[in-house]
Amino acid sequence: MIGKEILKLNEDYFFMEMFMFALVLLACLAIFDLVVGVSNDAVNFLNSSIGSKAAPRNVIMIIASLGMLAGVTFSSGMMEVARKGIFHPEFFNMPELISIFLAVMLTDIILLDTFNTFGFPTSTTVSIVFELLGAAVAVSLIKIYMAGDLFITLAKYINTGKALAIITGILLSVIVAFIAGAIVQFFARLTFTFDYAKTLKKYGGIWGGFAFSVITYFILIKGAKGTSFLSKEAVLFIKDHAWLILGGNFVVFGLLFQLLTVFTKINVLKPIVLMGTFALAMAFAANDLVNFIGVPLAGLSAYNVAELSSDPLNVLMGALKGKSQANTLLLLLAGTVMVITLWFSKKSRSVSKTELSLGRQDEGVERFGASTLSRIIVRMVHTQFVFIKKFIPASIQRGIANRLTIVNTKKTEDPEQQQSFDLLRASVNLMVASAVVSFATSLKLPLSTTYVTFMVSMGTSLSDQAWGRESAVYRVTGVLAVVGGWFVTALAAFTASMIFASIIFYFELPGIIFVVFFAAFLLFRSHHMHGKRQKADKALEAFNMTHIDDPEIAIKTSFEQTGYYLREISDTLEHCFEATFLEDRSRLNNMRVETNKINKWSDIITANIFRTLNFLQKEDVVYTQTYLHTIRSLKDISDSHRDLILNAYNHFENNHEGLTAKQIGELRYIKTCITRLLWNTSIMLLQRKRVDFDYIARQSLKLVKLVDDFDKTQIKRIQNGESGTRLSILFYGFMDNSVKISEQTHNLLDIFRNSFIKNGGHIKGTSNN
């Protein structure tokens, strides 16, 4: 009997040591989760100030950092969500909860890092809730199965009401935030117009007082609940005297801002935006810190409860239903990690770029393509808009149109310093987001700060005509992609955590090791993929000319961009030829994907050329003709390049026969001629060097002669039965498209060969055409 007790004690000791290791792992995962979480959620509070350039980036970052450090001290009350918000802890023992918590943390890191890699903002609140739900459901079902109970008893383990409230809050917040942002921005723009310098002198105090009071109240109502330095009486006073606080703030701040507007040159919109940035950063830290460290802290509490019990592995965790106070030093340590991540995370900038690109006022490189659904939505909205306009008197339409006339913002040579939208829209973004979140909090409705801030931003963009007919279909596609990603978040979080929890619960330590290594593998792949996406984004940004307003710089830049484009055509063609010779379907598939990038470059250069034409005077007929010829040649090169690669890919994807040795030998000559031609032309455009034009012309003629000779030998092969129909189509496709590319490249060189002539330090362009 005594021997059995000793054996049990040793066994309990071993398992407690194993779960101590699990706690250490949870602590490490919490740090990783803080990093990926901040990278995703920084978009909530940074984009309005960064997009409007309310202050230098370092100043914005400092204000946001202070907001987060203040917010973490208000987050103690939110930690209860991880302990008892989704499941009932009194039905679980410590090993079962540790299995749930490990599955949740590993899933959360993988999921958020994936969204960060693709630049999609998602909700850390929704992800953690559905991860807890999925893992708890998995462990509960296993317990029910092992006990022989009915599966209907699952309801006693899970807090289903909380999950339904979360889903309802998502749907309501998305709709309300978008509509509220659109309506407030419309009337704000109608009042102040795009050229708001004069109207701000008249109504700046009223607007500033209203916006500042809403944001201040937002700080109070969001911070009062979790703060440790306000008494219950003070919190109750704030709640009961909400309108008095709002009114008092409006009067005080209204007078202050009106005096600043009249007697100083201070733009009152800037302090509003910076204050809003601080408020949302604080709310993020107070609300969402639980999403990152709440689960590890709950795991620590479960371990402490078990350690005090005589039967640590089987005691139920009903003690977790009680209230607990988080350690302030620990909260500040977590806040420090968040601040460091905010300053150094590259992925946070990727997420920010997505929202800024969807809401920016001017044209530029679109991050999303068009989709069938977005086209349908845009057509429906446009049709409804045209229909409604019929019932609005023409005089009112003209008055509204005059006040909503877009004023071009001042361009800067540095695209990083170019505004995505103005300070008025930024102030509306922050004020409306603060108001919606505060109102929902007062009603105890769960919602996501990410969803609210994003949809408010999209609503204000719509009202500000940022989604014009030239860009609407692409912006709507982007919004649909992001919103769709939110629902994917819930489904993926539930499913993945359910699978991970089952593996860990069944296989214990081996299961933990397997899931950890699997997560590490996915994170490594994600990091590699993000590097590639960053490189591709930088390449596209290099083609963005929306920040240029100098005609000579625009002309010079468009020529250089054409040089980069031809160099890329040369490189991809060389890879395509070689992959075809080796029948390498994988490389051909990569080349096929590359054609999308090449086509996008061609479209952007064409758009830049049209933009450059706007700089030219009407008498600059020579320039105009040059550019129109350039556009035509670029389009033909792009089409021929795409057709050549797609033909090769489809040929081997359908498992057709490869080229013969003679055909490969002939096509090697073709490859050498076309790649040299493209490379030398790109050198001239990029480096403004005088290349041997006669040599280029000879290369082009040589290619035509080679094709003519190889055409005759191919006819003989067809007659002799050495080359089948499919193989002949492939062979002729390479030759014909190479000739087309050569001819159009020759035309480009003819257009540009005298374009770069240094004269007194300036670049001038001429053409023989």
Side-chain angles (χ1 to χ4, degrees):
M1 188 72 177
I2 296 175
K4 287 184 177 179
E5 290 181 357
I6 294 174
L7 186 63
K8 184 179 183 304
L9 286 173
N10 288 335
E11 184 179 347
D12 288 348
Y13 177 79
F14 170 77
F15 278 106
M16 290 299 287
E17 287 296 310
M18 186 182 76
F19 288 117
M20 175 59 77
F21 164 74
L23 283 179
V24 174
L25 180 59
L26 277 174
C28 296
L29 292 176
I31 297 174
F32 280 107
D33 208 26
L34 280 169
V35 172
V36 295
V38 173
S39 297
N40 189 280
D41 281 5
V43 63
N44 298 345
F45 49 86
L46 287 181
N47 272 8
S48 290
S49 50
I50 289 177
S52 63
K53 306 302 177 188
R57 187 180 183 91
N58 286 346
V59 173
I60 295 170
M61 297 288 280
I62 290 171
I63 290 173
S65 300
L66 293 174
M68 285 198 299
L69 288 174
V72 295
T73 62
F74 299 155
S75 66
S76 180
M78 295 297 296
M79 295 299 164
E80 304 298 322
V81 175
R83 293 158 56 93
K84 59 184 180 181
I86 305 302
F87 54 83
H88 300 295
E90 64 268 26
F91 295 105
F92 298 90
N93 58 36
M94 187 267 291
E96 292 164 350
L97 287 188
I98 293 296
S99 298
I100 291 172
F101 294 152
L102 278 173
V104 167
M105 294 301 292
L106 288 165
T107 303
D108 202 50
I109 290 171
I110 294 171
L111 190 64
L112 294 182
D113 189 68
T114 300
F115 273 85
N116 293 344
T117 296
F118 289 97
F120 278 14
T122 193
S123 171
T124 52
T125 302
V126 170
S127 64
I128 203 75
V129 165
F130 279 90
E131 285 154 6
L132 283 166
L133 183 62
V137 166
V139 174
S140 300
L141 288 175
I142 294 172
K143 284 169 63 69
I144 291 170
Y145 175 77
M146 293 174 67
D149 294 336
L150 296 174
F151 286 107
I152 196 171
T153 58
L154 178 66
K156 79 175 184 179
Y157 293 92
I158 306 300
N159 191 345
T160 53
K162 186 73 173 181
L164 290 174
I166 290 287
I167 296 172
T168 304
I170 291 172
L171 296 175
L172 285 176
S173 67
V174 166
I175 298 169
V176 171
F178 183 81
I179 294 174
I183 292 174
V184 175
Q185 180 62 32
F186 175 77
F187 286 105
R189 188 63 72 188
L190 199 63
T191 302
F192 292 99
T193 74
F194 281 92
D195 188 13
Y196 52 75
K198 294 179 180 178
T199 49
L200 205 60
K201 288 284 185 182
K202 298 178 181 178
Y203 314 116
I206 298 174
W207 177 255
F210 180 69
F212 221 75
S213 59
V214 169
I215 293 171
T216 304
Y217 178 69
F218 168 73
I219 292 175
L220 287 175
I221 196 171
K222 290 298 292 181
K225 284 188 176 182
T227 184
S228 57
F229 55 81
L230 284 179
S231 64
K232 290 182 179 180
E233 291 76 16
V235 174
L236 188 62
F237 177 84
I238 292 172
K239 182 179 179 181
D240 293 340
H241 298 81
W243 289 105
L244 179 64
I245 294 172
L246 279 171
N249 281 335
F250 174 72
V251 173
V252 172
F253 288 124
L255 288 173
L256 176 62
F257 282 132
Q258 193 62 42
L259 291 172
L260 289 174
T261 302
V262 173
F263 296 106
T264 71
K265 294 183 179 180
I266 296 175
N267 187 335
V268 297
L269 296 177
K270 289 186 176 182
I272 293 172
V273 172
L274 295 176
M275 183 67 169
T277 300
F278 177 89
L280 282 178
M282 191 202 74
F284 156 70
N287 243 13
D288 293 0
L289 184 60
V290 63
N291 302 339
F292 314 129
I293 69 170
V295 168
L297 289 179
L300 178 61
S301 298
Y303 183 87
N304 289 336
V305 170
E307 197 174 32
L308 296 174
S309 172
S310 59
D311 190 8
L313 299 180
N314 296 305
V315 63
L316 297 178
M317 294 288 107
L320 295 187
K321 295 197 72 173
K323 288 190 175 182
S324 67
Q325 186 71 25
N327 187 294
T328 303
L329 184 61
L330 189 62
L331 295 178
L332 287 173
L333 182 62
T336 303
V337 175
M338 295 166 75
V339 169
I340 293 172
T341 302
L342 181 69
W343 281 85
F344 295 102
S345 173
K346 293 182 180 179
K347 289 191 177 182
S348 66
R349 297 198 179 195
S350 298
V351 180
S352 292
K353 281 182 180 179
T354 297
E355 185 175 315
L356 291 175
S357 69
L358 292 175
R360 71 174 184 271
Q361 193 67 41
D362 57 1
E363 295 181 16
V365 180
E366 297 292 346
R367 293 178 67 86
F368 297 89
S371 66
T372 302
L373 182 57
S374 68
R375 294 187 187 107
I376 293 172
I377 292 174
V378 170
R379 289 193 191 105
M380 287 175 58
V381 172
H382 179 68
T383 302
Q384 292 297 321
F385 181 72
V386 172
F387 177 76
I388 293 171
K389 281 181 67 175
K390 294 179 181 178
F391 299 96
I392 301 176
S395 57
I396 295 178
Q397 289 188 39
R398 285 194 299 271
I400 293 175
N402 288 336
R403 295 198 67 79
L404 298 183
T405 300
I406 298 176
V407 178
N408 292 326
T409 57
K410 184 179 179 181
K411 305 292 184 180
T412 66
E413 291 190 11
D414 183 5
E416 289 291 327
Q417 298 303 318
Q418 182 61 34
Q419 281 185 322
S420 295
F421 43 81
D422 63 16
L423 286 164
L424 182 66
R425 201 209 298 181
S427 66
V428 172
N429 285 344
L430 293 164
M431 181 189 68
V432 174
S434 300
V436 171
V437 174
S438 299
F439 180 69
T441 302
S442 67
L443 297 179
K444 297 182 179 180
L445 290 175
L447 50 71
S448 165
T449 309
T450 300
Y451 294 173
V452 170
T453 54
F454 180 82
M455 293 310 295
V456 166
S457 177
M458 294 303 99
T460 58
S461 302
L462 178 65
S463 286
D464 247 5
Q465 307 168 72
W467 297 3
R469 293 187 67 177
E470 296 297 319
S471 60
V473 69
Y474 310 111
R475 306 285 174 90
V476 172
T477 298
V479 173
L480 291 175
V482 172
V483 173
W486 296 344
F487 293 96
V488 171
T489 298
L491 180 61
F494 182 87
T495 305
S497 62
M498 197 173 183
I499 294 171
F500 286 175
S502 300
I503 293 172
I504 292 171
F505 188 69
Y506 261 124
F507 298 101
E508 297 178 341
L509 186 58
I512 294 173
I513 294 172
F514 169 77
V515 174
V516 167
F517 274 99
F518 179 70
F521 169 72
L522 292 181
L523 291 174
F524 175 78
R525 282 193 61 188
S526 175
H527 178 74
H528 179 68
M529 187 180 297
H530 183 257
K532 291 177 66 176
R533 287 178 61 86
Q534 269 198 318
K535 187 176 180 181
D537 287 344
K538 284 182 180 179
L540 275 181
E541 285 299 323
F543 285 81
N544 185 9
M545 280 176 52
T546 56
H547 59 283
I548 296 177
D549 60 0
D550 184 278
E552 291 186 358
I553 295 176
I555 293 168
K556 171 180 175 290
T557 303
S558 63
F559 287 172
E560 290 178 347
Q561 289 172 351
T562 305
Y564 283 117
Y565 170 75
L566 293 180
R567 177 176 291 182
E568 191 69 19
I569 291 279
S570 175
D571 291 342
T572 53
L573 281 182
E574 182 166 5
H575 290 309
C576 179
F577 272 91
E578 291 300 327
T580 302
F581 300 157
L582 298 173
E583 301 182 31
D584 189 337
R585 285 189 299 130
S586 177
R587 285 179 65 187
L588 285 172
N589 184 50
N590 292 336
M591 293 301 102
R592 181 181 63 87
V593 174
E594 285 289 301
T595 60
N596 295 326
K597 180 184 74 174
I598 299 294
N599 290 337
K600 186 174 288 188
W601 284 14
S602 176
D603 292 341
I604 294 171
I605 293 173
T606 299
N608 288 340
I609 288 172
F610 279 117
R611 191 175 294 113
T612 303
L613 284 175
N614 293 330
F615 295 135
L616 305 178
Q617 301 297 324
K618 291 182 179 179
E619 60 269 17
D620 292 336
V621 178
V622 174
Y623 271 144
T624 303
Q625 289 178 340
T626 297
Y627 274 93
L628 294 179
H629 286 310
T630 304
I631 291 168
R632 191 178 301 118
S633 295
L634 285 171
K635 182 69 170 61
D636 289 341
I637 291 173
S638 177
D639 290 346
S640 298
H641 171 266
R642 180 198 62 220
D643 292 344
L644 188 150
I645 292 176
L646 287 180
N647 287 342
Y649 170 76
N650 290 329
H651 181 89
F652 291 106
E653 186 67 13
N654 294 327
N655 294 311
H656 295 314
E657 187 180 357
L659 294 164
T660 66
K662 291 181 180 179
Q663 289 173 325
I664 291 174
E666 291 169 354
L667 287 181
R668 284 196 184 279
Y669 284 109
I670 299 293
K671 182 198 76 170
T672 301
C673 284
I674 187 64
T675 53
R676 283 181 180 175
L677 183 70
L678 289 164
W679 188 262
N680 280 282
T681 306
S682 71
I683 288 175
M684 176 183 177
L685 299 178
L686 283 170
Q687 302 179 11
R688 302 193 298 277
K689 288 184 177 179
R690 285 287 184 181
V691 299
D692 188 346
F693 182 78
D694 292 334
Y695 168 77
I696 299 295
R698 288 196 302 270
Q699 284 289 102
S700 182
L701 291 173
K702 179 182 177 182
L703 180 59
V704 173
K705 186 177 183 304
L706 283 173
V707 168
D708 186 53
D709 292 340
F710 296 156
D711 179 40
K712 294 174 184 177
T713 58
Q714 177 61 19
I715 291 174
K716 291 180 182 178
R717 283 193 287 266
I718 294 172
Q719 292 172 342
N720 296 334
E722 297 177 19
S723 180
T725 302
R726 299 289 182 187
L727 198 55
S728 297
I729 292 173
L730 176 66
F731 183 78
Y732 279 122
F734 268 93
M735 292 202 302
D736 291 344
N737 285 301
S738 295
V739 169
K740 290 177 184 177
I741 293 172
S742 172
E743 290 174 348
Q744 295 306 324
T745 304
H746 187 215
N747 288 341
L748 279 178
L749 189 58
D750 192 28
I751 293 168
F752 289 151
R753 61 173 171 168
N754 295 317
S755 294
F756 293 115
I757 301 173
K758 277 210 167 182
N759 184 9
H762 296 283
I763 303 298
K764 293 187 176 182
T766 60
S767 174
N768 291 343
N769 288 9

